Amino acid sequence: MSPTMRAGRSARKPYGDVLAMDAVFEAQFRAIQRRMAARGVTAEVAWTPDGQVDYVYEADRLLVIDEGRNVGRVRELLPGAEVVPEERQRPEGEERQPGNTTMLVSIENLDDGRRTVPEALDLLEERDGSARAADGPPLASPNHVLHITRLCPAVEPEVPGGMPAQPWPPQRAPAEKARRILIGIVDTGILEDLPHPWLAGVRGDVERIGPILPSGLAHIEQFQGHGTFAAGVARCTAPDAEVYVADHFAESGAERENVIINKIIRLIRDLRPQVVNLSAGTYTRNRWDSLGFSLFPDLFPDVLLVAAAGNDGTCRPFYPAAFPWALAVGALGPDQVHRAWFSNHGPWVDVYTLGEGLVNAYATGTYTYREPPRRPARQNFAGMARWDGTSFSAPLVAGIAAAHLATHGGGPEDARRAVLDATRHERGIGAVLRL
């Protein structure tokens, strides 16, 4: 493993251009590492020269777009590199999706000795200057690990004051005339038997809570309820929309870049949503475009991808939100005027909206806090939570975009333009969408 992780920085301190290795990130990364190891995948951290966290990636694998000469060129420049067998490039039971041209290349047996992924990419760039792309995706990249943890959500859930039965922001009134619009939410699935009226008819991969504790309440795992909360937020701004919540991040709140793009391809091909919400992302090596997600606009020109900007208080691009074709959403504080303390920012963020103090549907049961300063306290939840993060700013905007498409028709660029036309520009923040 890389150098010893250091703890102690405040979780509420902006991190500047890289992620600070604080106790919260360490706890989350260790959970990701353990859960991925159980599936035979090794997650590692890449470090900056000054010892800060750069990005998280899968060990011993490079990601390549299999277009013509790319894979062959990588193998030529890195003797001993081998294409990973196709059946080992995806989780057990998953099928390779038509149009998914991502390939994994193993670097476990390089002729010049074992190297880490960053070292192998340094060597690749040294041998072929075209591998260091100035614009667009590189020849090969790490197989980055996308997170809904740390990056989304910003903090762990809290019990809302007064145990409200209604969400905040409140559900909008349905439109009189609206066509069918489906929002695909790439997240952790949907909880069963939800009593909340604003979630009526929401479908998805079922997320079950358990086991039952001696108290008689169910045990809530760390990432459970995230997809349900996101779906609730989207439904509050798009009450007429159909919503499908996919279980793409159940394992430790993280997944590899090639696996996620493969799952999104399947989701869109099977269900044909007009809007996809992704409350997750990754920082990338050298700020390169995400190689896996570079395929998206060509594969799905008629789908709007709404993506969370991330929760590290940095201006560093966060992918896929940072792509110009995606709708990147940052978070505002409760006053809806100032940027939330955790929200990423910069010219690549398209719009900011409420991301603190949101109240919506959650699991019923007992949650044990995993992160400082609350760890190891327990809290009982009764089907509602207060949660912060660009994780939830994004589905709020996805709902607004879907509502526009339902009422006015058009395509993804029309919905994107409608969202941006509804904003006002605030000095020092950018485009702000107030509720």
Side-chain angles (χ1 to χ4, degrees):
M1 181 64 190
S2 299
T4 303
M5 294 188 175
R6 297 166 301 285
R9 294 199 182 196
S10 167
R12 292 180 178 260
K13 181 179 180 180
Y15 299 132
D17 198 43
V18 293
L19 301 180
M21 178 54 74
D22 63 5
V24 173
F25 185 92
E26 180 176 358
Q28 293 181 345
F29 175 72
R30 293 300 189 195
I32 290 170
Q33 198 175 43
R34 287 193 301 270
R35 297 289 288 275
M36 285 196 162
R39 291 187 286 154
V41 177
T42 302
E44 296 276 5
V45 172
W47 303 83
T48 64
D50 63 350
Q52 301 296 318
V53 178
D54 197 2
Y55 55 87
V56 181
Y57 65 94
E58 179 184 6
D60 300 325
R61 300 285 186 267
L62 302 183
L63 186 64
V64 184
I65 298 296
D66 185 23
E67 293 179 347
R69 59 186 288 272
N70 289 352
V71 171
R73 182 63 174 158
V74 169
R75 295 179 65 187
E76 175 188 338
L77 295 170
L78 297 177
E82 294 292 339
V83 175
V84 176
E86 195 272 330
E87 65 274 9
R88 290 173 52 201
Q89 298 199 36
R90 45 181 162 73
E92 186 176 351
E94 289 284 337
E95 296 181 359
R96 185 175 176 84
Q97 300 303 309
N100 179 18
T101 58
T102 58
M103 297 289 289
L104 293 182
V105 174
S106 170
I107 59 168
E108 294 176 272
N109 299 305
L110 293 186
D111 286 353
D112 56 353
R114 182 176 177 83
R115 293 176 182 266
T116 66
V117 164
E119 289 170 345
L121 288 169
D122 285 342
L123 186 61
L124 186 65
E125 294 163 29
E126 178 184 318
R127 293 175 176 174
D128 181 9
S130 66
R132 191 185 298 276
D135 297 303
L139 174 62
S141 81
N143 194 22
H144 298 100
V145 173
L146 279 73
H147 316 246
I148 63 167
T149 56
R150 178 48 153 171
L151 315 172
C152 295
V155 295
E156 293 178 279
E158 301 172 340
V159 172
M163 295 301 295
Q166 298 298 318
W168 179 255
Q171 183 179 9
R172 292 186 172 187
E176 291 186 6
K177 295 181 179 180
R179 68 186 182 106
R180 174 191 176 275
I181 296 294
L182 173 64
I183 304 173
I185 295 183
V186 177
D187 217 287
T188 63
I190 186 76
L191 297 170
E192 291 185 289
D193 302 323
L194 293 166
H196 312 295
W198 63 93
L199 282 170
V202 170
R203 299 177 296 129
D205 302 324
V206 174
E207 181 179 37
R208 291 181 172 84
I209 304 297
I212 302 300
L213 300 171
S215 64
L217 294 174
H219 168 70
I220 304 172
E221 288 287 350
Q222 186 170 11
F223 313 105
Q224 289 179 328
H226 191 273
T228 297
F229 196 101
V233 172
R235 259 299 183 79
C236 284
T237 53
D240 293 307
E242 295 185 30
V243 176
Y244 189 94
V245 189
D247 178 10
H248 290 175
F249 282 99
E251 287 292 333
S252 73
E255 190 51 274
R256 291 161 290 166
E257 189 174 350
N258 73 308
V259 173
I260 284 297
I261 192 64
N262 193 51
K263 288 184 174 182
I264 291 176
I265 289 172
R266 186 182 67 178
L267 172 72
I268 296 176
R269 291 243 163 91
D270 289 351
L271 300 179
R272 301 189 181 278
Q274 292 87 348
V275 179
V276 170
N277 181 85
L278 179 61
S279 292
T282 181
Y283 300 101
T284 59
R285 174 181 167 87
N286 293 345
R287 300 192 181 199
W288 284 334
D289 290 351
S290 161
L291 196 57
F293 278 92
S294 67
L295 302 166
F296 191 94
D298 291 332
L299 291 174
F300 305 114
D302 297 326
V303 178
L304 176 65
L305 180 69
V306 181
N311 299 337
D312 290 287
T314 177
C315 62
R316 182 179 179 182
F318 186 64
Y319 284 93
F323 278 108
W325 46 262
L327 186 56
V329 186
L332 296 178
D335 63 3
Q336 299 191 52
V337 174
H338 297 91
R339 189 173 66 235
W341 59 268
F342 52 79
S343 180
N344 287 357
H345 54 91
W348 55 274
V349 180
D350 296 301
V351 62
Y352 298 82
T353 195
L354 183 64
E356 274 193 87
L358 290 158
V359 175
N360 220 291
Y362 185 62
T364 296
T366 300
Y367 182 84
T368 301
Y369 289 96
R370 277 80 168 179
E371 301 167 7
R374 292 180 179 166
R375 184 176 62 192
R378 291 187 173 188
Q379 179 67 64
N380 293 335
F381 285 84
M384 296 285 284
R386 177 193 183 279
W387 222 339
D388 303 340
T390 60
S391 268
F392 309 123
S393 303
L396 190 155
V397 170
I400 291 173
H404 174 84
L405 292 174
T407 304
H408 301 286
E413 190 54 39
D414 300 299
R416 178 192 179 93
R417 189 179 306 113
V419 168
L420 297 179
D421 286 348
T423 65
R424 61 186 67 185
H425 288 268
E426 301 290 348
R427 183 178 300 176
I429 299 179
V432 168
L433 182 63
R434 294 182 184 166
L435 301 180

